[in-house]
Amino acid sequence: MAIIDFQFLSKTLATTTSISIILPERDDWFQAHGNQTPYPTLYLLHGLSNNHSTYVRNTNIERYASEKGIAVVMPSFDHSFYSNMAYGHRYFDYFTKELLPLLPTLFPLAQEREKNFVAGHSMGGYGAFKMALSSPSHFAKAASMSGVMDIDYILHHPFDNFSIEAVTGGKTTLHGTPSDLYHLIRENKKNGVLLPELYQTCGTEDFLYEDNLAFRDFLKKENIHAKYVEAPGEHNFKFWDKSIENVLEWL
């Protein structure tokens, strides 16, 4: 495996930002696919108070990715909830308009929809579904691990040392907006959009467990097929390390 700490000046963010990228060894890949074939790629999104190094430091993602022959891209998104912040950077545009087109020009990453996936935990679980449902033509599959399924949960359950006002600009609800996963599902369904395959998992002792159950039931009501997995576990990397291994099996 190669682990690359890639830094570049983002025009969207107007600052230098870091990305961790895992690229598998090429030996077996050469034999199976030829040396010019780009890797299927998983964009792996971190949670609140984490950054691009989170999965490398806290999980076995390097080994899991090596076993599957998949590239993993892990950017940093601060406390943005993967949004264009009211008071801060335009992280949604950074990901969808800058990062996704740029990286395949610099690294051997696949561009085809069927070879692009997105996943994440907690804030990143929300972000994975948001990005996939906002850009369904880019991602074939999306996985949320202990994700925030109802964005208004953060408005009504503030975390210590974090205010979502920088993201929302003081709005009292985000329901019915492009930040609302429920709204994105309804809009895509109404417009006949081909949705990515969805995978949702959460620990039964997680404080977001009820939130995840509600979204699972919503998808069933809307006749949206999604794989739902629950197991004993809390909101921590002991649960997410096993979860990301399961997600890669699913991919």
Side-chain angles (χ1 to χ4, degrees), residues 21-68:
I21 301 174
I22 295 175
L23 294 178
E25 296 289 347
R26 278 290 192 179
D27 292 347
D28 293 340
W29 191 257
F30 282 165
Q31 296 177 16
H33 302 90
N35 60 6
Q36 299 302 315
T37 303
Y39 292 113
T41 304
L42 171 65
Y43 290 84
L44 190 54
L45 308 183
H46 65 77
L48 192 68
S49 301
N50 301 149
N51 65 12
H52 64 99
S53 69
T54 294
Y55 285 100
V56 174
R57 291 189 294 111
N58 292 285
T59 75
N60 289 303
I61 185 61
E62 180 182 3
R63 177 165 59 85
Y64 302 152
S66 177
E67 291 170 353
K68 298 301 179 185

Side-chain angles (χ1 to χ4, degrees), residues 60-245:
N60 289 303
I61 185 61
E62 180 182 3
R63 177 165 59 85
Y64 302 152
S66 177
E67 291 170 353
K68 298 301 179 185
I70 189 171
V72 183
V73 175
M74 296 162 282
S76 285
F77 288 88
D78 199 10
H79 294 87
S80 67
F81 272 83
Y82 299 89
S83 301
N84 291 334
M85 302 173 71
Y87 311 121
H89 293 302
R90 293 183 291 117
Y91 278 104
F92 180 82
D93 287 350
Y94 160 66
F95 185 70
T96 58
K97 297 180 180 181
E98 185 173 15
L99 209 60
L100 292 181
L102 173 66
L103 291 182
T105 70
L106 301 174
F107 301 98
L109 307 178
Q111 298 188 60
E112 304 95 323
R113 179 183 189 269
E114 63 269 20
K115 294 182 180 179
N116 271 271
F117 321 108
V118 60
H121 76 276
S122 195
M123 182 185 81
Y126 162 79
F129 274 15
K130 178 179 179 177
M131 296 304 185
L133 295 172
S134 299
S135 303
S137 63
H138 192 91
F139 295 107
K141 296 185 178 185
S144 169
M145 303 176 292
S146 313
V148 177
M149 297 290 96
D150 184 349
I151 188 59
D152 274 16
Y153 180 95
I154 304 301
L155 294 174
H156 304 135
H157 300 83
F159 292 91
D160 292 340
N161 302 317
F162 169 73
S163 171
I164 200 173
E165 186 174 352
V167 177
T168 66
K171 293 179 180 177
T172 58
T173 181
L174 292 176
H175 286 169
T177 74
S179 293
D180 178 8
L181 299 184
Y182 290 80
H183 173 73
L184 291 173
I185 288 286
R186 293 189 183 102
E187 286 298 298
N188 282 324
K189 183 179 177 183
K190 181 176 70 175
N191 295 324
V193 173
L194 176 64
L195 292 176
E197 294 182 46
L198 301 178
Y199 180 106
Q200 183 188 357
T201 186
C202 191
T204 52
E205 287 71 46
D206 196 305
F207 66 89
L208 290 172
Y209 178 60
E210 296 297 330
D211 184 35
N212 275 263
L213 289 181
F215 192 75
R216 177 202 65 181
D217 294 343
F218 165 74
L219 292 178
K220 288 181 178 179
K221 181 179 178 181
E222 294 293 322
N223 294 316
I224 304 296
H225 175 72
K227 184 175 180 63
Y228 175 82
V229 177
E230 65 177 49
E234 300 180 9
H235 202 76
N236 57 36
F237 276 100
K238 181 178 180 180
F239 183 80
W240 299 323
D241 181 46
K242 181 61 179 176
S243 295
I244 192 60
E245 182 180 22

